Amino acid sequence: MHTQAIRRGASPVGAVARGVLLAALFTAAAVIVFALVLSFARLSDGVIRAVNQVIKLVAIYLGVRAAVGTGTGRPLLRGMLVGLIYMAVGVMLYAVLTAQHLSPYAYAADILMGVAAGGLIAMLRARKR
C-alpha cells in the first residue's frame, strides 16, 4: 500500500518533488516567452527585474499548489520546502550559468523569499480546504 502511494506521488517527498518540477517547468516556459518579448521590446532593467520576480513568485505558487494539494500532511513544511528547493536550485544555476556574481546576502535574500513565499502560499492554500 505504501509503495502504491509513493508511485502515485502521494508521499510528501513525491509531492514536494512534483511541486518543484512544476515550478521549474513554468519558469522555463515563462523565461522563453519573456525572452521573445525582450527581442521585440526594449524594457528597462527595472521592468526586467520586476518581471523576473513575478515569474519566480508565480512558479512558487504553482509548485506549492501542486505539493499541498496532494495531501493534508504538513502543508506549511511542504510549501516552505518547495520555495527553498526551487530558489536554491535557481540561485545555483544563476551563479553557474552567468558571469555575474551577487553578494551572499543577495543569494540568501532570494532563497529566504522563496521559503517565505512558499510558506505563506501553503498556509493560505491549506486554510481554503
Side-chain angles (χ1 to χ4, degrees):
M1 174 94 136
H2 181 63
T3 56
Q4 289 175 342
I6 291 173
R7 271 190 242 128
R8 286 193 316 256
S11 75
V13 172
V16 169
R18 185 174 44 255
V20 171
L21 180 62
L22 179 62
L25 290 173
F26 169 80
T27 301
V31 167
I32 290 169
V33 170
F34 190 47
L36 289 172
V37 169
L38 286 175
S39 70
F40 295 109
R42 293 183 62 75
L43 300 175
S44 71
D45 287 344
V47 171
I48 293 170
R49 278 192 295 273
V51 170
N52 284 333
Q53 291 300 324
V54 168
I55 289 171
K56 290 178 204 175
L57 289 173
V58 171
I60 291 170
Y61 170 79
L62 292 173
V64 170
R65 183 178 164 108
V68 172
T70 60
T72 58
R74 298 186 166 200
L76 178 63
L77 180 60
R78 285 186 190 200
M80 291 172 70
L81 282 172
V82 168
L84 172 69
I85 295 167
Y86 169 79
M87 291 302 281
V89 169
V91 163
M92 285 189 296
L93 286 174
Y94 180 82
V96 169
L97 298 176
T98 68
Q100 297 177 352
H101 295 285
L102 300 176
S103 72
Y105 297 112
Y107 289 133
D110 251 9
I111 291 171
L112 290 174
M113 181 197 77
V115 171
L120 179 62
I121 293 164
M123 285 190 306
L124 294 172
R125 176 112 175 108
R127 201 171 170 143
K128 278 186 170 181
R129 286 196 254 149

